[in-house]
């Protein structure tokens, strides 16, 4: 099915964080707070250029996403940056010597009608676009559940990163199913301050 941004709650935020990026409410370690204090949004924001986003930030993107089956696996076709994520179903972990990458390596399974994905091997350095860092020790658990008779996708993400968070961080959002929407080629334009 094709899913797209709902507008009202399309951004990934825990309930305790507002849309003004009140980042002090995140359970950050001292090391993460130091990185955040030195972060300059005008020059350091990872979304100011055409480098594809990694996990977990790519799942905040507002453009259409298609979820399809590819044999036993599930593939997320994401319009933003023309990305594809594969969730390897019924694998307990990444194969030995799996390289780290911005999207990491995802394994998954079905819990009744909910797709559960676990991702690690991530080398994308940012938790968000506001300056909270992400380490290579991070792991992410996602839950995708179709609700409202399949018209909406409820999404939950739990990020564990012992380097940057003192406890796991849970984020939520929803997508709506929009028949007829197509994934279009992504044409990125570099952000400029001029």
């Amino acid at each position: 099915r094709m899913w797209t941004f709902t507008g009202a709650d399309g951004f990934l935020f825990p309930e305790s964080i507002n849309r003004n990026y009140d980042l002090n409410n995140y359970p950050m370690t001292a090391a993460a707070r130091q990185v955040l204090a030195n972060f300059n949004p005008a020059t350091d924001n990872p979304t100011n250029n055409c480098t594809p986003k990694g996990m977990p930030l790519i799942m905040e993107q507002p453009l259409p996403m298609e979820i399809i089956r590819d044999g036993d696996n599930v593939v997320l076709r994401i319009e933003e940056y023309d990305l594809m994520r594969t969730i390897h179903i019924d694998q307990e972990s990444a194969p030995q010597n799996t390289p780290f990458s911005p999207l990491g390596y995802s394994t998954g399974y079905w819990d009744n009608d909910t797709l559960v994905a676990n991702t690690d091997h991530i080398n994308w350095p940012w938790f968000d676009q506001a300056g909270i860092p992400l380490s290579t020790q991070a792991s992410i658990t996602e839950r995708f559940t179709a609700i409202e008779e399949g018209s909406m996708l409820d999404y939950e993400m739990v990020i564990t990163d012992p380097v940057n968070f003192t406890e796991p961080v849970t984020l939520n959002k929803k997508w709506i199913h929009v028949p007829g929407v197509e994934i279009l080629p992504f044409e990125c334009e570099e952000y400029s301050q001029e």
Side-chain angles (χ1 to χ4, degrees), residues 7-187:
D9 53 3
F11 291 97
L12 287 165
F13 285 101
E15 292 179 6
S16 62
I17 308 297
N18 62 38
R19 292 180 185 270
N20 294 322
Y21 286 101
D22 185 4
L23 303 178
N24 292 317
N25 288 335
Y26 281 98
M28 286 182 281
T29 63
R33 290 186 186 281
Q34 184 62 48
V35 171
L36 181 61
N38 294 323
F39 184 84
N40 182 335
T43 57
D44 298 334
N45 186 330
T47 65
N48 286 351
N49 58 48
C50 289
T51 301
K53 298 174 189 172
M55 285 291 286
L57 185 56
I58 190 60
M59 296 307 290
E60 186 178 85
Q61 62 88 27
L63 301 176
M65 172 183 71
E66 185 178 23
I67 301 178
I68 56 176
R69 289 199 186 217
D70 181 15
D72 291 334
N73 297 326
V74 174
V75 173
L76 280 61
R77 292 182 58 228
I78 300 170
E79 181 173 309
E80 190 170 64
Y81 299 100
D82 304 307
L83 293 177
M84 292 184 68
R85 284 186 61 204
T86 298
I87 300 172
H88 303 271
I89 300 300
D90 293 331
Q91 276 188 20
E92 290 191 18
S93 62
Q96 189 173 2
N97 299 321
T98 295
F100 281 68
S101 67
L103 296 179
Y105 191 92
S106 300
T107 60
Y109 62 92
W110 292 96
D111 179 6
N112 296 316
D113 293 332
T114 296
L115 173 62
V116 181
N118 296 302
T119 303
D120 53 21
H121 288 76
I122 305 164
N123 66 1
W124 175 253
W126 300 108
F127 167 78
D128 63 8
Q129 62 179 319
I132 297 177
L134 190 78
S135 81
T136 56
Q137 294 182 41
S139 63
I140 299 171
T141 299
E142 302 163 277
R143 297 180 68 86
F144 302 80
T145 307
I147 59 173
E148 304 294 331
E149 299 181 349
S151 65
M152 188 169 285
L153 185 68
D154 186 60
Y155 177 71
E156 178 186 84
M157 171 190 286
V158 179
I159 300 100
T160 301
D161 182 355
V163 174
N164 293 299
F165 295 121
T166 58
E167 61 186 65
V169 173
T170 301
L171 307 176
N172 299 280
K173 75 178 279 186
K174 290 181 173 57
W175 279 281
I176 55 172
H177 172 54
V178 183
V181 170
E182 296 181 4
I183 300 284
L184 300 176
F186 184 69
E187 297 177 4

